[in-house]
Amino acid sequence: MELNETDRRLIGALRRGLPLVEHPYAALGAELGLDEGAVIARLQRFMERGLISRFGVVVDHAALGFDGNAMVVWDIPDADVEGVGRMFAGLSWVSLCYRRPRRLPHWRYNLFTMIHARQRAFVEDRVGVMTVLADSVVQASAILHTTRRFKQTAACYGTAPAAAGEA
Amino acid sequence: MDALDQRLLDEFQRDFGLTPRPYADIGARLGLDEAEVIDRLRRLTGAGAIRRIGPVFRPNRVGASTLAALAVPPDRLEEIAAVVGGYAEVNHNYAREHHLNLWFVVTAPDAGRVGEVLEEIARSTGLTPLDLPLERDFHVDLGFRLWN
Protein backbone atom coordinates (compact mmCIF):
# COMPACT_ATOMS: atom_id res chain seq x y z
CA MET A 1 0.00 0.00 0.00
CA GLU A 2 1.30 3.43 -0.95
CA LEU A 3 1.46 5.72 2.04
CA ASN A 4 1.05 9.44 1.59
CA GLU A 5 2.58 12.16 3.69
CA THR A 6 -0.43 12.31 6.04
CA ASP A 7 -0.22 8.54 6.62
CA ARG A 8 3.49 8.89 7.46
CA ARG A 9 2.79 11.70 9.87
CA LEU A 10 0.05 9.69 11.56
CA ILE A 11 2.42 6.72 11.93
CA GLY A 12 5.08 9.08 13.29
CA ALA A 13 2.67 10.58 15.82
CA LEU A 14 1.62 7.11 17.01
CA ARG A 15 5.21 6.21 17.82
CA ARG A 16 4.70 7.96 21.17
CA GLY A 17 1.50 6.04 21.75
CA LEU A 18 -2.17 6.84 21.80
CA PRO A 19 -2.86 9.74 24.17
CA LEU A 20 -4.64 8.86 27.42
CA VAL A 21 -7.58 11.22 26.98
CA GLU A 22 -11.30 10.64 26.39
CA HIS A 23 -11.05 11.17 22.64
CA PRO A 24 -7.54 9.97 21.78
CA TYR A 25 -8.08 9.80 18.02
CA ALA A 26 -9.41 13.34 17.99
CA ALA A 27 -6.35 14.47 19.98
CA LEU A 28 -4.02 12.79 17.48
CA GLY A 29 -5.94 14.30 14.61
CA ALA A 30 -5.65 17.78 16.07
CA GLU A 31 -1.86 17.53 15.71
CA LEU A 32 -2.19 16.44 12.11
CA GLY A 33 -5.09 18.55 10.87
CA LEU A 34 -7.45 15.56 10.63
CA ASP A 35 -10.75 15.03 12.35
CA GLU A 36 -11.46 12.05 14.61
CA GLY A 37 -13.34 10.09 11.95
CA ALA A 38 -10.52 10.54 9.42
CA VAL A 39 -7.90 9.24 11.88
CA ILE A 40 -10.01 6.18 12.71
CA ALA A 41 -10.72 5.53 9.02
CA ARG A 42 -7.01 5.67 8.15
CA LEU A 43 -6.11 3.27 10.95
CA GLN A 44 -8.89 0.92 9.88
CA ARG A 45 -7.48 0.98 6.36
CA PHE A 46 -4.00 0.12 7.71
CA MET A 47 -5.54 -2.85 9.55
CA GLU A 48 -7.49 -4.04 6.52
CA ARG A 49 -4.42 -3.85 4.31
CA GLY A 50 -2.40 -5.88 6.80
CA LEU A 51 0.09 -3.14 7.65
CA ILE A 52 -0.64 -3.49 11.34
CA SER A 53 -0.34 -6.87 13.04
CA ARG A 54 -2.05 -5.66 16.17
CA PHE A 55 -3.24 -2.47 17.81
CA GLY A 56 -3.36 -2.21 21.55
CA VAL A 57 -1.40 -2.19 24.78
CA VAL A 58 2.31 -2.79 24.18
CA VAL A 59 3.64 -4.16 27.45
CA ASP A 60 7.18 -4.17 28.73
CA HIS A 61 7.82 -7.86 29.21
CA ALA A 62 10.94 -7.39 31.30
CA ALA A 63 9.12 -5.03 33.68
CA LEU A 64 6.48 -7.73 34.12
CA GLY A 65 9.03 -10.32 35.09
CA PHE A 66 9.77 -11.88 31.71
CA ASP A 67 13.46 -11.27 32.03
CA GLY A 68 14.72 -14.69 31.04
CA ASN A 69 14.16 -13.87 27.38
CA ALA A 70 16.51 -15.10 24.71
CA MET A 71 17.00 -15.15 20.99
CA VAL A 72 17.45 -18.75 19.97
CA VAL A 73 18.93 -19.31 16.52
CA TRP A 74 18.96 -22.45 14.42
CA ASP A 75 20.88 -23.79 11.47
CA ILE A 76 18.29 -25.73 9.49
CA PRO A 77 18.87 -27.05 5.96
CA ASP A 78 17.31 -24.60 3.49
CA ALA A 79 14.98 -27.31 2.20
CA ASP A 80 13.55 -27.86 5.69
CA VAL A 81 13.49 -24.36 7.14
CA GLU A 82 9.96 -23.54 5.99
CA GLY A 83 8.48 -26.58 7.70
CA VAL A 84 10.46 -26.15 10.90
CA GLY A 85 9.68 -22.42 10.97
CA ARG A 86 5.96 -23.09 10.76
CA MET A 87 6.16 -25.71 13.46
CA PHE A 88 8.20 -23.54 15.85
CA ALA A 89 5.85 -20.61 15.21
CA GLY A 90 2.99 -22.70 16.55
CA LEU A 91 4.62 -23.36 19.92
CA SER A 92 3.06 -21.40 22.76
CA TRP A 93 6.40 -20.23 24.19
CA VAL A 94 7.74 -18.90 20.86
CA SER A 95 6.86 -15.23 20.58
CA LEU A 96 8.67 -14.47 17.32
CA CYS A 97 9.86 -16.79 14.56
CA TYR A 98 11.44 -15.74 11.32
CA ARG A 99 13.94 -16.62 8.65
CA ARG A 100 17.00 -14.50 7.94
CA PRO A 101 19.99 -15.08 5.63
CA ARG A 102 23.13 -16.90 6.66
CA ARG A 103 26.33 -14.86 6.50
CA LEU A 104 29.08 -17.42 6.17
CA PRO A 105 31.62 -17.72 7.65
CA HIS A 106 30.48 -15.37 10.41
CA TRP A 107 26.90 -16.52 10.88
CA ARG A 108 25.53 -19.96 10.02
CA TYR A 109 22.01 -19.65 11.47
CA ASN A 110 18.97 -19.11 9.25
CA LEU A 111 16.02 -19.49 11.62
CA PHE A 112 15.40 -17.15 14.55
CA THR A 113 13.04 -17.64 17.46
CA MET A 114 12.41 -15.43 20.48
CA ILE A 115 11.44 -17.04 23.72
CA HIS A 116 10.08 -14.83 26.48
CA ALA A 117 10.23 -16.49 29.84
CA ARG A 118 10.34 -15.60 33.48
CA GLN A 119 13.37 -17.81 34.00
CA ARG A 120 16.47 -18.65 32.09
CA ALA A 121 16.17 -22.34 32.82
CA PHE A 122 12.80 -22.36 31.08
CA VAL A 123 14.45 -21.20 27.85
CA GLU A 124 17.04 -23.97 27.97
CA ASP A 125 14.36 -26.51 28.70
CA ARG A 126 12.20 -25.41 25.77
CA VAL A 127 15.15 -25.36 23.38
CA GLY A 128 15.67 -28.99 24.30
CA VAL A 129 12.05 -29.74 23.44
CA MET A 130 12.34 -27.86 20.13
CA THR A 131 15.47 -29.79 19.23
CA VAL A 132 13.61 -33.04 19.75
CA LEU A 133 10.57 -31.79 17.80
CA ALA A 134 12.68 -30.75 14.83
CA ASP A 135 14.19 -34.18 15.03
CA SER A 136 17.11 -34.78 12.73
CA VAL A 137 17.22 -31.51 10.82
CA VAL A 138 18.77 -29.24 13.45
CA GLN A 139 22.39 -28.85 12.39
CA ALA A 140 23.21 -26.42 15.18
CA SER A 141 21.53 -24.00 17.54
CA ALA A 142 22.61 -21.29 19.93
CA ILE A 143 20.91 -19.51 22.80
CA LEU A 144 21.70 -15.80 22.97
CA HIS A 145 20.46 -14.73 26.38
CA THR A 146 19.74 -11.04 26.70
CA THR A 147 22.06 -9.47 29.22
CA ARG A 148 21.19 -5.78 28.86
CA ARG A 149 18.55 -3.71 27.13
CA PHE A 150 20.11 -0.47 26.06
CA LYS A 151 17.13 0.74 24.07
CA GLN A 152 13.64 -0.41 23.25
CA THR A 153 11.22 1.94 21.49
CA ALA A 154 8.62 1.83 18.75
CA ALA A 155 9.74 1.38 15.14
CA CYS A 156 10.60 4.52 13.23
CA TYR A 157 8.47 4.16 10.10
CA GLY A 158 6.79 7.55 10.05
CA THR A 159 7.80 11.15 9.87
CA ALA A 160 7.89 13.31 12.97
CA PRO A 161 4.72 15.37 13.09
CA ALA A 162 5.17 19.09 12.65
CA ALA A 163 4.98 21.03 15.89
CA ALA A 164 1.90 23.15 16.44
CA GLY A 165 2.02 26.24 14.28
CA GLU A 166 4.31 24.71 11.66
CA ALA A 167 3.03 23.93 8.19
CA MET B 1 -0.97 -4.63 40.60
CA ASP B 2 -4.47 -5.99 41.07
CA ALA B 3 -6.59 -8.30 38.92
CA LEU B 4 -8.02 -5.38 36.91
CA ASP B 5 -4.52 -4.13 36.08
CA GLN B 6 -3.61 -7.63 34.91
CA ARG B 7 -6.69 -7.73 32.70
CA LEU B 8 -5.85 -4.32 31.25
CA LEU B 9 -2.39 -5.58 30.32
CA ASP B 10 -3.46 -8.99 29.12
CA GLU B 11 -6.73 -8.54 27.27
CA PHE B 12 -6.14 -5.34 25.36
CA GLN B 13 -2.91 -6.13 23.54
CA ARG B 14 -4.98 -6.51 20.35
CA ASP B 15 -8.45 -5.62 19.12
CA PHE B 16 -8.20 -2.30 20.90
CA GLY B 17 -11.15 -0.16 19.92
CA LEU B 18 -10.81 1.96 16.82
CA THR B 19 -13.80 3.86 18.12
CA PRO B 20 -14.16 7.45 19.29
CA ARG B 21 -13.94 6.53 23.00
CA PRO B 22 -11.83 3.37 23.28
CA TYR B 23 -11.19 3.76 27.02
CA ALA B 24 -14.93 3.90 27.70
CA ASP B 25 -15.29 0.69 25.65
CA ILE B 26 -12.62 -1.02 27.77
CA GLY B 27 -14.37 0.22 30.90
CA ALA B 28 -17.64 -1.31 29.72
CA ARG B 29 -15.90 -4.69 29.48
CA LEU B 30 -14.19 -4.43 32.86
CA GLY B 31 -16.94 -2.70 34.81
CA LEU B 32 -14.93 0.51 35.24
CA ASP B 33 -15.74 4.01 34.17
CA GLU B 34 -13.71 5.72 31.48
CA ALA B 35 -11.78 7.97 33.87
CA GLU B 36 -10.68 5.02 35.96
CA VAL B 37 -9.45 3.13 32.87
CA ILE B 38 -7.42 6.18 31.84
CA ASP B 39 -6.01 6.55 35.37
CA ARG B 40 -4.98 2.93 35.54
CA LEU B 41 -3.37 3.00 32.10
CA ARG B 42 -1.50 6.15 33.05
CA ARG B 43 -0.27 4.56 36.28
CA LEU B 44 0.81 1.35 34.50
CA THR B 45 2.65 3.44 31.91
CA GLY B 46 4.36 5.44 34.66
CA ALA B 47 5.36 2.20 36.37
CA GLY B 48 6.98 0.93 33.17
CA ALA B 49 4.57 -1.97 32.63
CA ILE B 50 3.12 -0.37 29.47
CA ARG B 51 5.44 1.02 26.84
CA ARG B 52 2.71 2.58 24.75
CA ILE B 53 -0.73 1.96 23.35
CA GLY B 54 -0.80 1.80 19.61
CA PRO B 55 -0.03 -0.13 16.47
CA VAL B 56 2.61 -2.77 15.92
CA PHE B 57 3.48 -2.67 12.25
CA ARG B 58 4.18 -5.80 10.29
CA PRO B 59 7.79 -5.83 9.12
CA ASN B 60 8.50 -4.81 5.53
CA ARG B 61 4.98 -3.56 4.81
CA VAL B 62 5.24 0.03 5.90
CA GLY B 63 8.93 0.66 5.58
CA ALA B 64 12.19 -1.22 5.76
CA SER B 65 14.02 -2.83 8.63
CA THR B 66 16.86 -5.13 9.44
CA LEU B 67 18.40 -6.92 12.38
CA ALA B 68 22.08 -6.20 12.77
CA ALA B 69 24.79 -7.49 15.06
CA LEU B 70 28.22 -6.29 16.09
CA ALA B 71 31.10 -8.09 17.77
CA VAL B 72 32.09 -5.41 20.23
CA PRO B 73 35.21 -5.64 22.41
CA PRO B 74 33.72 -5.91 25.93
CA ASP B 75 35.47 -2.78 27.18
CA ARG B 76 33.82 -0.74 24.39
CA LEU B 77 30.28 -2.07 24.87
CA GLU B 78 28.87 1.00 26.64
CA GLU B 79 30.45 3.41 24.19
CA ILE B 80 29.33 1.54 21.07
CA ALA B 81 25.85 0.87 22.45
CA ALA B 82 25.46 4.61 22.98
CA VAL B 83 26.49 5.35 19.38
CA VAL B 84 24.08 2.74 18.02
CA GLY B 85 21.24 3.77 20.32
CA GLY B 86 21.72 7.40 19.37
CA TYR B 87 19.99 6.80 16.05
CA ALA B 88 16.23 7.41 16.08
CA GLU B 89 16.05 4.60 13.50
CA VAL B 90 17.42 2.09 16.03
CA ASN B 91 14.45 0.87 18.04
CA HIS B 92 15.94 -2.14 19.80
CA ASN B 93 19.46 -2.40 21.06
CA TYR B 94 20.37 -5.35 23.27
CA ALA B 95 23.50 -6.94 24.63
CA ARG B 96 23.39 -10.70 24.24
CA GLU B 97 25.66 -13.54 25.28
CA HIS B 98 27.59 -14.38 22.13
CA HIS B 99 30.72 -13.38 20.26
CA LEU B 100 28.33 -11.08 18.36
CA ASN B 101 27.32 -9.33 21.54
CA LEU B 102 25.35 -6.26 20.45
CA TRP B 103 22.10 -6.76 18.52
CA PHE B 104 19.95 -3.97 17.18
CA VAL B 105 17.02 -3.40 14.85
CA VAL B 106 17.06 -0.55 12.35
CA THR B 107 13.72 0.63 10.96
CA ALA B 108 13.16 3.48 8.51
CA PRO B 109 10.64 4.60 5.93
CA ASP B 110 12.82 3.10 3.16
CA ALA B 111 15.68 0.64 2.62
CA GLY B 112 18.07 3.39 1.55
CA ARG B 113 17.98 4.97 4.98
CA VAL B 114 18.44 1.59 6.72
CA GLY B 115 21.61 1.07 4.65
CA GLU B 116 22.88 4.55 5.48
CA VAL B 117 22.46 3.99 9.22
CA LEU B 118 24.45 0.74 9.02
CA GLU B 119 27.19 2.45 7.02
CA GLU B 120 27.40 5.36 9.44
CA ILE B 121 27.62 2.98 12.40
CA ALA B 122 30.40 1.06 10.64
CA ARG B 123 32.29 4.28 9.93
CA SER B 124 31.99 5.76 13.38
CA THR B 125 32.71 2.56 15.34
CA GLY B 126 35.19 0.86 13.03
CA LEU B 127 33.14 -2.35 13.39
CA THR B 128 31.21 -3.94 10.54
CA PRO B 129 27.59 -4.80 11.35
CA LEU B 130 26.29 -8.16 10.25
CA ASP B 131 23.17 -7.28 8.26
CA LEU B 132 20.41 -9.88 8.63
CA PRO B 133 17.26 -8.64 6.88
CA LEU B 134 14.02 -10.53 7.35
CA GLU B 135 13.36 -13.08 4.62
CA ARG B 136 10.19 -14.68 5.89
CA ASP B 137 8.16 -14.20 9.01
CA PHE B 138 6.45 -17.26 10.38
CA HIS B 139 5.20 -15.51 13.45
CA VAL B 140 5.93 -11.95 14.49
CA ASP B 141 3.72 -10.93 17.35
CA LEU B 142 4.65 -10.17 20.90
CA GLY B 143 1.04 -9.92 22.04
CA PHE B 144 1.03 -13.18 23.94
CA ARG B 145 -0.90 -14.01 27.10
CA LEU B 146 0.92 -12.91 30.24
CA TRP B 147 -1.16 -14.76 32.79
CA ASN B 148 -2.87 -18.09 32.38
Side-chain angles (χ1 to χ4, degrees):
Chain A
M1 172 180 167
E2 275 303 305
L3 296 174
N4 63 27
E5 186 50 31
T6 306
D7 293 326
R8 291 274 177 203
R9 287 171 57 224
L10 175 57
I11 291 168
L14 277 164
R15 199 174 183 216
R16 283 172 309 194
L18 199 64
L20 290 167
V21 296
E22 283 182 12
H23 285 270
Y25 301 108
L28 268 180
E31 289 181 53
L32 305 167
L34 295 172
D35 67 28
E36 183 177 65
V39 170
I40 291 173
R42 268 172 207 269
L43 291 172
Q44 262 159 355
R45 211 174 64 226
F46 293 168
M47 299 282 273
E48 282 157 15
R49 303 283 170 89
L51 269 61
I52 292 176
S53 55
R54 68 184 169 99
F55 191 107
V57 174
V58 178
V59 304
D60 187 310
H61 291 105
L64 295 171
F66 288 81
D67 49 9
N69 83 72
M71 184 172 81
V72 183
V73 293
W74 309 82
D75 176 359
I76 307 289
D78 290 340
D80 299 309
V81 70
E82 178 79 19
V84 174
R86 285 169 184 273
M87 180 182 64
F88 283 179
L91 300 172
S92 61
W93 60 85
V94 171
S95 46
L96 303 173
C97 181
Y98 33 72
R99 183 180 180 176
R100 297 184 185 276
R102 303 171 198 279
R103 299 291 190 209
L104 297 170
H106 307 288
W107 186 255
R108 66 185 293 185
Y109 305 101
N110 58 344
L111 187 64
F112 289 62
T113 50
M114 277 299 306
I115 300 180
H116 281 70
R118 295 184 194 273
Q119 281 136 27
R120 218 175 148 115
F122 178 98
V123 175
E124 277 141 29
D125 200 56
R126 290 306 188 268
V127 170
V129 172
M130 291 161 84
T131 305
V132 171
L133 285 174
D135 199 13
S136 52
V137 299
V138 176
Q139 301 179 130
S141 67
I143 301 176
L144 281 72
H145 288 286
T146 303
T147 49
R148 279 186 69 181
R149 297 189 301 159
F150 290 105
K151 185 176 184 183
Q152 190 170 21
T153 60
C156 171
Y157 291 121
T159 42
E166 286 178 34
Chain B
M1 199 159 50
D2 63 15
L4 283 167
D5 285 344
Q6 291 196 348
R7 290 188 63 190
L8 276 170
L9 294 174
D10 220 4
E11 295 174 24
F12 301 93
Q13 297 184 65
R14 61 187 73 251
D15 305 326
F16 191 92
L18 289 176
T19 57
R21 300 181 74 166
Y23 306 117
D25 300 340
I26 290 173
R29 273 177 54 186
L30 297 182
L32 297 172
D33 68 26
E34 185 180 33
E36 194 176 350
V37 170
I38 290 173
D39 280 349
R40 281 175 179 265
L41 290 171
R42 195 169 281 145
R43 180 168 48 70
L44 289 166
T45 303
I50 293 178
R51 275 199 254 129
R52 71 194 140 82
I53 294 166
V56 176
F57 290 98
R58 236 175 228 137
N60 299 343
R61 301 281 176 100
V62 181
S65 68
T66 198
L67 174 69
L70 287 170
V72 180
D75 61 338
R76 293 186 67 198
L77 189 62
E78 294 277 342
E79 169 213 337
I80 307 272
V83 171
V84 169
Y87 285 89
E89 290 86 353
V90 169
N91 64 312
H92 287 69
N93 185 23
Y94 286 15
R96 298 194 194 278
E97 284 173 14
H98 193 268
H99 166 65
L100 289 154
N101 54 353
L102 191 68
W103 288 79
F104 55 97
V105 175
V106 182
T107 57
D110 59 72
R113 181 62 195 149
V114 172
E116 273 174 24
V117 170
L118 291 182
E119 281 165 29
E120 286 175 28
I121 287 171
R123 245 197 330 271
S124 60
T125 64
L127 303 169
T128 307
L130 198 65
D131 178 13
L132 301 170
L134 189 84
E135 288 184 339
R136 165 100 165 85
D137 69 272
F138 299 104
H139 179 64
V140 179
D141 188 353
L142 277 172
F144 58 87
R145 294 284 298 200
L146 301 161
W147 291 278
N148 293 317

